[in-house]
Amino acid sequence: MKTARTVVVGITGGIAAYKAVNIVRAFVLNGDSVHVVATTAALRFIGKPTLEAISRHPVHSELYEGVAEVRHVAIGQSADLIVVAPATANTIAKLAAGLADDLLGNTILASTAPLVIAPAMHTEMWNNPATVANVKTLRERGVIVVGPGVGRLTGQDVGAGRMEEPGTIVAAALAVLDGTYVEKPAQDLTGRRILISAGGTREPLDPVRFLGNRSSGKQGVALAEAARDRGATVTLVAANLEVAEPSGISVSRVGSAVELNEAMQAAAPTADVIIMAAAVADYRPQTVREGKIKKQDTGDTLILELIKNPDILAALALGRTPGQVIVGFAAETEADDSRLLDLGREKVARKGCDYLVVNRVGWTQGFATDSNAILMLDRLGVIVNEASGSKMSVAQSILDVIV
Ligand code: CTP
Protein backbone atom coordinates (compact mmCIF):
# COMPACT_ATOMS: atom_id res chain seq x y z
CA MET A 1 0.00 0.00 0.00
CA LYS A 2 1.30 3.44 -0.82
CA THR A 3 2.04 5.71 2.14
CA ALA A 4 0.24 9.03 2.19
CA ARG A 5 2.46 11.96 1.43
CA THR A 6 1.95 15.36 2.98
CA VAL A 7 1.17 18.07 0.47
CA VAL A 8 0.87 21.65 1.66
CA VAL A 9 -1.29 23.74 -0.65
CA GLY A 10 -0.63 27.48 -0.25
CA ILE A 11 -3.42 29.66 -1.54
CA THR A 12 -2.83 33.38 -2.05
CA GLY A 13 -5.14 36.28 -2.81
CA GLY A 14 -6.07 36.14 -6.46
CA ILE A 15 -9.40 35.47 -8.10
CA ALA A 16 -8.08 32.07 -9.25
CA ALA A 17 -8.18 31.03 -5.56
CA TYR A 18 -11.60 29.50 -6.21
CA LYS A 19 -9.96 27.00 -8.57
CA ALA A 20 -7.59 25.89 -5.79
CA VAL A 21 -10.46 23.82 -4.37
CA ASN A 22 -10.08 21.46 -7.32
CA ILE A 23 -6.34 21.21 -6.69
CA VAL A 24 -6.89 20.31 -3.03
CA ARG A 25 -9.53 17.76 -4.03
CA ALA A 26 -7.29 16.13 -6.62
CA PHE A 27 -4.52 15.55 -4.06
CA VAL A 28 -7.02 14.13 -1.54
CA LEU A 29 -8.44 11.77 -4.19
CA ASN A 30 -4.89 10.74 -4.99
CA GLY A 31 -4.53 9.58 -1.38
CA ASP A 32 -2.27 12.39 -0.22
CA SER A 33 -2.66 14.16 3.10
CA VAL A 34 -3.40 17.81 2.28
CA HIS A 35 -2.89 20.80 4.55
CA VAL A 36 -4.03 24.16 3.29
CA VAL A 37 -2.23 27.35 4.30
CA ALA A 38 -4.16 30.32 2.98
CA THR A 39 -3.18 33.96 3.17
CA THR A 40 -5.72 36.33 4.69
CA ALA A 41 -6.19 37.79 1.19
CA ALA A 42 -7.00 34.31 -0.17
CA LEU A 43 -9.74 33.92 2.43
CA ARG A 44 -11.47 37.00 1.00
CA PHE A 45 -11.90 35.04 -2.23
CA ILE A 46 -12.77 31.63 -0.83
CA GLY A 47 -14.23 30.39 2.47
CA LYS A 48 -12.35 28.38 5.08
CA PRO A 49 -15.21 25.87 5.52
CA THR A 50 -15.00 24.89 1.85
CA LEU A 51 -11.27 24.26 2.09
CA GLU A 52 -11.56 22.41 5.41
CA ALA A 53 -14.32 20.15 4.08
CA ILE A 54 -12.42 19.33 0.92
CA SER A 55 -8.97 18.94 2.52
CA ARG A 56 -10.36 17.14 5.61
CA HIS A 57 -7.98 19.15 7.81
CA PRO A 58 -8.10 22.50 9.58
CA VAL A 59 -7.03 25.40 7.36
CA HIS A 60 -4.42 27.74 8.80
CA SER A 61 -3.80 31.32 7.95
CA GLU A 62 -2.64 33.21 11.03
CA LEU A 63 0.96 33.36 12.17
CA TYR A 64 0.07 33.88 15.86
CA GLU A 65 -2.29 30.94 16.19
CA GLY A 66 -1.04 27.50 17.22
CA VAL A 67 2.14 29.02 18.65
CA ALA A 68 2.41 26.27 21.28
CA GLU A 69 2.84 23.68 18.55
CA VAL A 70 5.34 25.98 16.73
CA ARG A 71 3.04 25.85 13.75
CA HIS A 72 4.98 28.42 11.73
CA VAL A 73 7.72 25.84 11.17
CA ALA A 74 5.88 22.58 11.88
CA ILE A 75 3.77 22.66 8.73
CA GLY A 76 6.74 23.31 6.46
CA GLN A 77 8.84 20.64 8.17
CA SER A 78 6.12 18.03 7.68
CA ALA A 79 5.66 18.73 3.97
CA ASP A 80 6.81 16.38 1.22
CA LEU A 81 5.76 19.01 -1.29
CA ILE A 82 4.46 22.59 -1.23
CA VAL A 83 2.24 23.88 -4.02
CA VAL A 84 1.32 27.56 -4.13
CA ALA A 85 -1.68 28.08 -6.39
CA PRO A 86 -2.56 30.70 -7.28
CA ALA A 87 0.73 32.51 -6.68
CA THR A 88 0.12 36.24 -6.99
CA ALA A 89 2.77 38.74 -8.14
CA ASN A 90 2.98 39.92 -4.52
CA THR A 91 3.57 36.42 -3.15
CA ILE A 92 6.17 35.72 -5.85
CA ALA A 93 7.99 38.92 -4.86
CA LYS A 94 7.89 37.91 -1.19
CA LEU A 95 9.19 34.42 -1.96
CA ALA A 96 12.02 35.84 -4.07
CA ALA A 97 13.00 38.12 -1.19
CA GLY A 98 12.62 35.32 1.40
CA LEU A 99 10.04 37.24 3.42
CA ALA A 100 8.20 35.51 6.24
CA ASP A 101 5.58 38.02 7.36
CA ASP A 102 2.72 35.52 7.28
CA LEU A 103 2.17 31.81 7.93
CA LEU A 104 2.68 30.81 4.30
CA GLY A 105 6.00 32.66 4.07
CA ASN A 106 7.21 30.98 7.30
CA THR A 107 6.02 27.58 6.14
CA ILE A 108 7.93 27.87 2.87
CA LEU A 109 11.12 29.18 4.48
CA ALA A 110 11.05 26.43 7.10
CA SER A 111 10.67 23.67 4.52
CA THR A 112 13.18 21.74 2.46
CA ALA A 113 10.42 20.15 0.34
CA PRO A 114 10.20 20.92 -3.38
CA LEU A 115 8.16 24.04 -4.12
CA VAL A 116 5.78 24.31 -7.07
CA ILE A 117 4.12 27.64 -7.85
CA ALA A 118 1.33 28.41 -10.30
CA PRO A 119 1.44 32.16 -11.05
CA ALA A 120 -1.80 34.00 -11.72
CA MET A 121 -2.01 37.70 -12.53
CA HIS A 122 -2.71 40.17 -15.31
CA THR A 123 -0.40 40.17 -18.30
CA GLU A 124 1.10 43.56 -17.43
CA MET A 125 2.04 42.30 -13.97
CA TRP A 126 3.50 39.06 -15.36
CA ASN A 127 5.58 41.00 -17.89
CA ASN A 128 6.69 43.64 -15.38
CA PRO A 129 10.49 43.53 -15.06
CA ALA A 130 10.15 43.11 -11.28
CA THR A 131 8.05 39.96 -11.69
CA VAL A 132 10.28 38.68 -14.50
CA ALA A 133 13.34 39.07 -12.24
CA ASN A 134 11.57 37.48 -9.25
CA VAL A 135 10.44 34.45 -11.26
CA LYS A 136 13.97 34.07 -12.66
CA THR A 137 15.38 34.13 -9.11
CA LEU A 138 12.93 31.48 -7.96
CA ARG A 139 13.65 29.23 -10.96
CA GLU A 140 17.38 29.54 -10.28
CA ARG A 141 16.71 28.33 -6.73
CA GLY A 142 14.96 25.26 -8.09
CA VAL A 143 11.36 26.39 -7.67
CA ILE A 144 9.13 24.77 -10.28
CA VAL A 145 6.96 27.29 -12.07
CA VAL A 146 3.87 25.84 -13.75
CA GLY A 147 2.26 28.23 -16.22
CA PRO A 148 0.85 30.77 -16.41
CA GLY A 149 -1.34 29.95 -19.37
CA VAL A 150 -2.48 32.34 -22.07
CA GLY A 151 -6.18 33.10 -22.32
CA ARG A 152 -9.11 35.02 -20.92
CA LEU A 153 -8.26 36.92 -17.72
CA THR A 154 -10.66 38.19 -15.06
CA GLY A 155 -11.90 41.18 -17.03
CA GLN A 156 -12.36 41.53 -20.76
CA ASP A 157 -8.65 41.15 -21.38
CA VAL A 158 -6.86 38.18 -22.87
CA GLY A 159 -3.17 37.35 -22.48
CA ALA A 160 -0.50 35.56 -20.49
CA GLY A 161 -1.11 35.36 -16.75
CA ARG A 162 -4.07 33.03 -16.41
CA MET A 163 -3.47 30.35 -13.78
CA GLU A 164 -2.69 27.00 -15.39
CA GLU A 165 -5.57 24.50 -15.26
CA PRO A 166 -5.79 22.65 -11.89
CA GLY A 167 -5.30 19.27 -13.60
CA THR A 168 -2.03 20.46 -15.18
CA ILE A 169 -0.77 21.86 -11.87
CA VAL A 170 -1.59 18.65 -9.98
CA ALA A 171 -0.02 16.47 -12.71
CA ALA A 172 3.18 18.54 -12.57
CA ALA A 173 3.21 18.47 -8.75
CA LEU A 174 2.73 14.69 -8.62
CA ALA A 175 5.54 14.26 -11.14
CA VAL A 176 7.76 16.39 -8.89
CA LEU A 177 6.87 14.12 -5.95
CA ASP A 178 7.63 11.04 -8.04
CA GLY A 179 10.89 12.53 -9.35
CA THR A 180 9.69 12.30 -12.96
CA TYR A 181 9.02 15.98 -13.60
CA VAL A 182 10.43 17.42 -16.83
CA GLU A 183 10.06 21.17 -17.16
CA LYS A 184 8.03 22.36 -20.12
CA PRO A 185 9.46 25.52 -21.66
CA ALA A 186 7.53 28.75 -21.14
CA GLN A 187 4.70 28.90 -23.67
CA ASP A 188 5.43 32.53 -24.45
CA LEU A 189 5.06 32.20 -28.22
CA THR A 190 1.62 30.58 -28.16
CA GLY A 191 -0.52 31.85 -31.01
CA ARG A 192 2.45 33.42 -32.83
CA ARG A 193 3.42 32.48 -36.37
CA ILE A 194 7.14 32.39 -36.99
CA LEU A 195 8.73 32.06 -40.39
CA ILE A 196 12.38 30.96 -40.39
CA SER A 197 14.81 30.37 -43.23
CA ALA A 198 17.72 28.01 -42.60
CA GLY A 199 20.58 26.39 -44.45
CA GLY A 200 22.55 27.63 -47.41
CA THR A 201 21.41 28.23 -50.96
CA ARG A 202 22.89 26.43 -53.97
CA GLU A 203 23.08 28.26 -57.28
CA PRO A 204 23.08 25.80 -60.18
CA LEU A 205 25.79 26.03 -62.83
CA ASP A 206 24.84 22.97 -64.81
CA PRO A 207 22.87 19.78 -64.07
CA VAL A 208 25.61 18.46 -61.73
CA ARG A 209 27.26 21.52 -60.16
CA PHE A 210 26.37 24.47 -58.00
CA LEU A 211 27.89 27.44 -56.18
CA GLY A 212 27.18 27.02 -52.49
CA ASN A 213 28.29 27.87 -48.98
CA ARG A 214 29.12 25.99 -45.80
CA SER A 215 25.98 26.76 -43.81
CA SER A 216 24.58 23.54 -42.33
CA GLY A 217 21.26 24.98 -41.17
CA LYS A 218 21.91 24.02 -37.52
CA GLN A 219 21.27 27.46 -36.04
CA GLY A 220 18.08 28.01 -38.07
CA VAL A 221 16.77 24.54 -37.19
CA ALA A 222 17.55 25.14 -33.48
CA LEU A 223 15.53 28.37 -33.71
CA ALA A 224 12.62 26.51 -35.34
CA GLU A 225 12.66 23.81 -32.64
CA ALA A 226 12.93 26.32 -29.81
CA ALA A 227 10.06 28.43 -31.22
CA ARG A 228 7.91 25.29 -31.65
CA ASP A 229 8.61 24.22 -28.06
CA ARG A 230 7.60 27.69 -26.84
CA GLY A 231 4.20 27.34 -28.49
CA ALA A 232 4.70 29.07 -31.86
CA THR A 233 3.35 27.85 -35.19
CA VAL A 234 6.55 27.54 -37.18
CA THR A 235 7.20 27.47 -40.93
CA LEU A 236 10.74 26.55 -41.89
CA VAL A 237 12.05 27.38 -45.34
CA ALA A 238 14.87 24.88 -45.59
CA ALA A 239 17.72 25.35 -48.04
CA ASN A 240 19.82 22.19 -48.34
CA LEU A 241 19.89 21.29 -44.67
CA GLU A 242 22.68 19.06 -43.41
CA VAL A 243 20.67 18.25 -40.29
CA ALA A 244 17.35 16.44 -39.84
CA GLU A 245 14.19 18.44 -40.43
CA PRO A 246 12.41 19.08 -37.12
CA SER A 247 9.05 17.42 -36.50
CA GLY A 248 5.88 19.30 -35.70
CA ILE A 249 6.48 22.23 -38.00
CA SER A 250 5.71 22.92 -41.64
CA VAL A 251 8.79 22.67 -43.86
CA SER A 252 9.16 24.09 -47.36
CA ARG A 253 12.28 22.81 -49.15
CA VAL A 254 14.13 25.11 -51.51
CA GLY A 255 17.43 24.99 -53.39
CA SER A 256 18.47 28.35 -54.78
CA ALA A 257 18.17 31.96 -53.60
CA VAL A 258 15.41 32.61 -56.12
CA GLU A 259 13.40 29.68 -54.77
CA LEU A 260 14.05 30.79 -51.20
CA ASN A 261 12.86 34.27 -52.10
CA GLU A 262 9.62 32.91 -53.56
CA ALA A 263 8.92 30.73 -50.51
CA MET A 264 9.63 33.57 -48.07
CA GLN A 265 7.51 36.08 -50.00
CA ALA A 266 4.61 33.60 -50.12
CA ALA A 267 4.69 32.88 -46.38
CA ALA A 268 5.61 36.37 -45.10
CA PRO A 269 2.19 38.09 -45.08
CA THR A 270 0.79 35.87 -42.31
CA ALA A 271 3.93 35.75 -40.14
CA ASP A 272 4.27 37.66 -36.86
CA VAL A 273 8.04 37.13 -36.84
CA ILE A 274 10.45 36.44 -39.70
CA ILE A 275 13.98 35.20 -39.05
CA MET A 276 16.40 35.04 -41.97
CA ALA A 277 18.99 32.60 -40.68
CA ALA A 278 19.78 31.15 -44.12
CA ALA A 279 23.06 31.95 -45.84
CA VAL A 280 21.92 33.30 -49.17
CA ALA A 281 24.18 33.45 -52.20
CA ASP A 282 24.54 37.08 -53.25
CA TYR A 283 25.10 36.10 -56.90
CA ARG A 284 24.00 33.30 -59.24
CA PRO A 285 25.35 32.15 -62.59
CA GLN A 286 23.80 34.22 -65.36
CA THR A 287 23.15 31.12 -67.42
CA VAL A 288 22.54 27.60 -66.23
CA ARG A 289 23.93 25.21 -68.84
CA GLU A 290 21.62 22.52 -70.16
CA GLY A 291 24.48 20.02 -70.29
CA LYS A 292 27.57 19.48 -68.16
CA ILE A 293 30.33 22.08 -68.65
CA LYS A 294 33.18 20.24 -70.45
CA LYS A 295 36.87 20.99 -69.93
CA GLN A 296 37.63 20.74 -73.63
CA ASP A 297 35.16 23.60 -74.21
CA THR A 298 36.41 25.87 -71.41
CA GLY A 299 40.20 25.39 -71.51
CA ASP A 300 42.62 26.36 -68.72
CA THR A 301 40.56 29.19 -67.27
CA LEU A 302 36.84 29.27 -66.73
CA ILE A 303 35.20 32.65 -66.25
CA LEU A 304 31.72 32.55 -64.77
CA GLU A 305 29.39 35.45 -65.25
CA LEU A 306 27.24 36.01 -62.16
CA ILE A 307 24.23 38.22 -61.60
CA LYS A 308 22.97 39.60 -58.32
CA ASN A 309 20.29 37.74 -56.39
CA PRO A 310 17.46 39.68 -54.79
CA ASP A 311 18.15 40.86 -51.25
CA ILE A 312 15.39 38.85 -49.59
CA LEU A 313 15.78 40.29 -46.10
CA ALA A 314 15.78 43.92 -47.28
CA ALA A 315 12.66 43.29 -49.39
CA LEU A 316 10.84 41.58 -46.50
CA ALA A 317 11.72 44.50 -44.22
CA LEU A 318 10.47 46.99 -46.79
CA GLY A 319 7.17 45.16 -47.29
CA ARG A 320 6.60 44.25 -43.61
CA THR A 321 3.06 44.07 -42.30
CA PRO A 322 2.16 46.21 -39.27
CA GLY A 323 3.71 44.86 -36.08
CA GLN A 324 5.78 42.22 -37.87
CA VAL A 325 9.22 41.64 -36.30
CA ILE A 326 12.03 40.98 -38.78
CA VAL A 327 15.35 39.48 -37.73
CA GLY A 328 18.41 39.13 -39.95
CA PHE A 329 21.71 37.36 -39.49
CA ALA A 330 25.13 38.66 -40.40
CA ALA A 331 27.94 36.25 -41.03
CA GLU A 332 31.24 38.12 -40.81
CA THR A 333 34.88 37.06 -40.94
CA GLU A 334 36.13 40.30 -39.33
CA ALA A 335 38.42 39.45 -36.40
CA ASP A 336 38.46 42.85 -34.69
CA ASP A 337 35.55 43.32 -32.23
CA SER A 338 34.92 47.00 -32.84
CA ARG A 339 35.11 46.66 -36.63
CA LEU A 340 32.72 43.66 -36.38
CA LEU A 341 30.30 45.88 -34.49
CA ASP A 342 30.62 48.63 -37.10
CA LEU A 343 29.87 46.13 -39.87
CA GLY A 344 26.81 44.92 -37.94
CA ARG A 345 25.55 48.47 -37.39
CA GLU A 346 26.01 49.31 -41.06
CA LYS A 347 24.20 46.10 -42.06
CA VAL A 348 21.19 46.53 -39.77
CA ALA A 349 20.68 50.03 -41.18
CA ARG A 350 21.10 48.83 -44.78
CA LYS A 351 18.70 45.89 -44.38
CA GLY A 352 16.05 47.80 -42.39
CA CYS A 353 15.38 44.85 -40.07
CA ASP A 354 14.38 45.12 -36.38
CA TYR A 355 17.23 42.96 -35.08
CA LEU A 356 20.47 41.66 -36.53
CA VAL A 357 22.22 38.61 -35.09
CA VAL A 358 25.92 39.07 -35.80
CA ASN A 359 28.10 36.01 -35.75
CA ARG A 360 31.69 35.50 -36.62
CA VAL A 361 32.32 32.82 -39.18
CA GLY A 362 35.52 31.30 -40.47
CA TRP A 363 37.17 28.08 -41.44
CA THR A 364 36.45 26.61 -38.00
CA GLN A 365 33.84 28.97 -36.58
CA GLY A 366 30.11 29.56 -36.93
CA PHE A 367 29.22 27.39 -39.90
CA ALA A 368 28.60 23.66 -39.45
CA THR A 369 29.67 23.64 -35.78
CA ASP A 370 27.46 22.77 -32.80
CA SER A 371 28.14 25.96 -30.89
CA ASN A 372 27.87 29.63 -31.70
CA ALA A 373 28.67 33.04 -30.24
CA ILE A 374 26.50 35.98 -31.22
CA LEU A 375 25.82 39.65 -30.67
CA MET A 376 22.32 40.92 -31.28
CA LEU A 377 21.77 44.52 -32.38
CA ASP A 378 18.51 46.41 -32.52
CA ARG A 379 17.58 48.66 -35.42
CA LEU A 380 19.55 51.55 -33.88
CA GLY A 381 22.66 49.40 -33.57
CA VAL A 382 22.43 49.02 -29.78
CA ILE A 383 23.65 45.66 -28.45
CA VAL A 384 20.58 44.00 -26.89
CA ASN A 385 21.95 40.51 -26.37
CA GLU A 386 25.24 38.63 -26.25
CA ALA A 387 25.09 34.85 -26.10
CA SER A 388 27.35 31.90 -26.61
CA GLY A 389 27.04 28.17 -26.17
CA SER A 390 25.11 25.46 -27.95
CA LYS A 391 23.10 26.56 -30.97
CA MET A 392 19.95 25.64 -28.98
CA SER A 393 20.88 27.89 -26.05
CA VAL A 394 21.75 30.71 -28.48
CA ALA A 395 18.37 30.15 -30.21
CA GLN A 396 16.55 30.44 -26.86
CA SER A 397 18.28 33.70 -26.03
CA ILE A 398 17.46 35.16 -29.47
CA LEU A 399 13.81 34.22 -28.91
CA ASP A 400 13.89 35.80 -25.42
CA VAL A 401 14.67 39.15 -27.06
CA ILE A 402 11.99 38.67 -29.73
CA VAL A 403 9.38 37.75 -27.07
N1 CTP B 1 20.33 37.92 -47.18
C1 CTP B 1 19.21 37.93 -47.99
N2 CTP B 1 19.36 37.96 -49.34
C2 CTP B 1 20.56 38.00 -49.89
C3 CTP B 1 21.72 38.01 -49.08
C4 CTP B 1 21.56 37.96 -47.71
O1 CTP B 1 18.10 37.91 -47.47
N3 CTP B 1 20.67 38.05 -51.22
C5 CTP B 1 20.12 37.92 -45.72
C6 CTP B 1 20.72 36.76 -44.96
O2 CTP B 1 19.81 35.70 -44.82
C7 CTP B 1 21.06 37.39 -43.63
C8 CTP B 1 21.35 38.84 -43.96
O3 CTP B 1 20.73 39.06 -45.24
O4 CTP B 1 19.96 37.37 -42.76
C9 CTP B 1 22.80 39.20 -44.06
O5 CTP B 1 23.49 38.31 -44.87
P1 CTP B 1 25.04 38.52 -45.15
O6 CTP B 1 25.48 37.49 -46.11
O7 CTP B 1 25.76 38.63 -43.85
O8 CTP B 1 25.04 39.98 -45.78
P2 CTP B 1 24.99 40.50 -47.24
O9 CTP B 1 23.79 41.34 -47.42
O10 CTP B 1 25.13 39.38 -48.19
O11 CTP B 1 26.24 41.47 -47.26
P3 CTP B 1 27.80 41.08 -47.40
O12 CTP B 1 27.87 39.66 -47.92
O13 CTP B 1 28.30 42.07 -48.34
O14 CTP B 1 28.34 41.20 -46.00
Side-chain angles (χ1 to χ4, degrees):
M1 207 184 89
K2 114 177 162 181
T3 50
R5 297 166 298 191
T6 300
V7 178
V8 172
V9 177
I11 305 178
T12 72
I15 185 68
Y18 77 91
K19 295 187 187 171
V21 176
N22 287 332
I23 295 174
V24 173
R25 188 168 180 76
F27 285 122
V28 171
L29 291 178
N30 189 56
D32 297 311
S33 173
V34 184
H35 293 269
V36 173
V37 177
T39 62
T40 47
L43 294 179
R44 299 180 72 153
F45 288 94
I46 178 164
K48 229 183 202 188
T50 308
L51 294 167
E52 292 191 335
I54 300 293
S55 71
R56 302 171 192 172
H57 284 112
V59 169
H60 301 293
S61 176
E62 294 296 331
L63 193 51
Y64 296 103
E65 281 174 3
V67 176
E69 60 190 72
V70 203
R71 188 178 289 157
H72 72 290
V73 292
I75 299 173
Q77 285 170 340
S78 71
D80 293 307
L81 175 75
I82 302 180
V83 180
V84 181
T88 59
N90 183 51
T91 294
I92 288 171
K94 284 167 51 170
L95 292 179
L99 290 186
D101 61 348
D102 60 8
L103 184 62
L104 182 59
N106 278 272
T107 300
I108 290 170
L109 274 191
S111 177
T112 53
L115 175 61
V116 175
I117 65 168
M121 65 199 75
H122 279 274
T123 307
E124 293 80 358
M125 296 170 91
W126 176 247
N127 288 336
N128 187 291
T131 309
V132 171
N134 291 332
V135 171
K136 185 166 179 270
T137 301
L138 292 179
R139 282 188 202 274
E140 283 165 2
R141 283 188 208 143
V143 174
I144 291 120
V145 182
V146 182
V150 178
R152 185 77 189 263
L153 301 169
T154 316
Q156 293 300 315
D157 40 354
V158 173
R162 194 184 146 87
M163 188 175 84
E164 196 52 271
E165 290 307 320
T168 309
I169 297 167
V170 172
L174 291 177
V176 170
L177 265 178
D178 295 340
T180 56
Y181 181 73
V182 181
E183 190 166 12
K184 197 171 159 217
Q187 296 299 289
D188 48 8
L189 286 170
T190 301
R192 299 293 183 184
R193 282 163 302 194
I194 304 203
L195 171 62
I196 301 172
S197 70
T201 62
R202 291 178 177 178
E203 308 302 316
L205 276 163
D206 67 18
V208 293
R209 303 186 181 96
F210 58 80
L211 294 177
N213 60 67
R214 291 180 45 233
S215 173
S216 60
K218 281 183 184 169
Q219 186 63 74
V221 166
L223 276 161
E225 288 173 337
R228 173 201 63 195
D229 294 346
R230 287 166 78 152
T233 303
V234 181
T235 300
L236 180 70
V237 175
N240 313 296
L241 298 185
E242 285 171 18
V243 286
E245 284 174 5
S247 59
I249 65 172
S250 125
V251 180
S252 159
R253 278 184 218 126
V254 298
S256 66
V258 168
E259 288 168 14
L260 192 135
N261 187 32
E262 280 166 14
M264 294 301 287
Q265 287 293 342
T270 55
D272 298 307
V273 178
I274 301 177
I275 307 177
M276 275 295 293
V280 183
D282 291 325
Y283 295 89
R284 67 179 181 274
Q286 179 144 36
T287 47
V288 181
R289 309 285 180 97
E290 282 295 324
K292 194 178 162 204
I293 302 169
K294 299 295 260 178
K295 273 198 295 292
Q296 68 256 39
D297 301 333
T298 48
D300 286 345
T301 320
L302 169 61
I303 296 174
L304 292 174
E305 210 153 354
L306 305 176
I307 54 168
K308 218 170 190 172
N309 273 326
D311 190 321
I312 305 167
L313 177 61
L316 290 169
L318 206 60
R320 62 151 68 75
T321 59
Q324 199 171 52
V325 176
I326 301 193
V327 183
F329 268 69
E332 305 290 354
T333 50
E334 175 60 60
D336 179 79
D337 281 347
S338 89
R339 282 204 295 269
L340 180 75
L341 200 53
D342 288 344
L343 285 174
R345 289 186 170 138
E346 180 275 321
K347 198 168 278 186
V348 75
R350 175 157 54 87
K351 301 277 185 176
C353 49
D354 299 296
Y355 295 106
L356 189 74
V357 179
V358 183
N359 70 328
R360 223 177 239 135
V361 291
W363 296 109
T364 56
Q365 222 178 351
F367 281 167
T369 60
D370 288 324
S371 60
N372 208 357
I374 60 114
L375 275 184
M376 200 166 166
L377 304 179
D378 70 6
R379 57 165 71 214
L380 301 173
V382 176
I383 299 174
V384 289
N385 183 19
E386 281 191 77
S388 59
S390 70
K391 285 189 171 169
M392 180 48 88
S393 73
V394 167
Q396 297 288 8
S397 88
I398 293 169
L399 291 180
D400 288 343
V401 174
I402 295 171
V403 164

